[in-house]
């Protein structure tokens, strides 16, 4: 689980794909929209709609890999 403070792209990506954005945002003390904006700023892919329902079922769901950093892009974010 993430803690408020400095978060790297790799930590955020791992957390977003292991637990829902709503639960992570609640644990960090921010809104889910705020966490989604942080993901967008750091270029971290998030699971699409229905990911958690599909992953609990018998369907195979693929995880999107973390893309490389863009020039001038931050590698971490402070909450």
């Amino acid at each position: 689980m993430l803690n408020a403070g400095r978060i790297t792209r790799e930590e955020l990506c791992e957390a977003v794909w292991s637990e829902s954005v709503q639960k992570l945002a609640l644990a960090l003390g921010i809104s889910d929209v705020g966490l989604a904006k942080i993901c967008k700023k750091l270029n971290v892919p998030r699971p699409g709609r229905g990911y958690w329902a599909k992953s609990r079922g018998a369907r195979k769901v693929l995880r999107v890999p973390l893309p490389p950093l863009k020039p001038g892009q931050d590698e971490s974010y402070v909450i």
Side-chain angles (χ1 to χ4, degrees):
M1 176 81 59
L2 294 176
N3 295 320
R6 183 167 294 276
I7 299 172
T8 65
R9 293 179 68 230
E10 291 81 14
E11 291 171 340
L12 183 59
C13 184
E14 190 62 37
V16 166
W17 286 91
S18 64
E19 195 168 355
S20 73
V21 172
Q22 292 173 338
K23 289 181 183 177
L24 287 174
L26 183 65
L28 291 171
I30 60 175
S31 69
D32 55 342
V33 174
L35 185 56
K37 288 180 179 182
I38 294 170
C39 288
K40 185 174 181 178
K41 180 178 174 79
L42 295 178
N43 197 21
V44 173
R46 293 178 291 133
R49 290 180 62 109
Y51 173 82
W52 298 105
K54 291 176 188 173
S55 66
R56 285 190 299 259
R59 297 179 96 178
K60 175 86 172 167
V61 184
L62 296 177
R63 180 178 170 173
V64 179
L66 184 64
L69 277 173
K70 295 178 182 176
Q73 184 179 14
D74 294 330
E75 188 174 325
S76 62
Y77 189 86
V78 177
I79 296 179

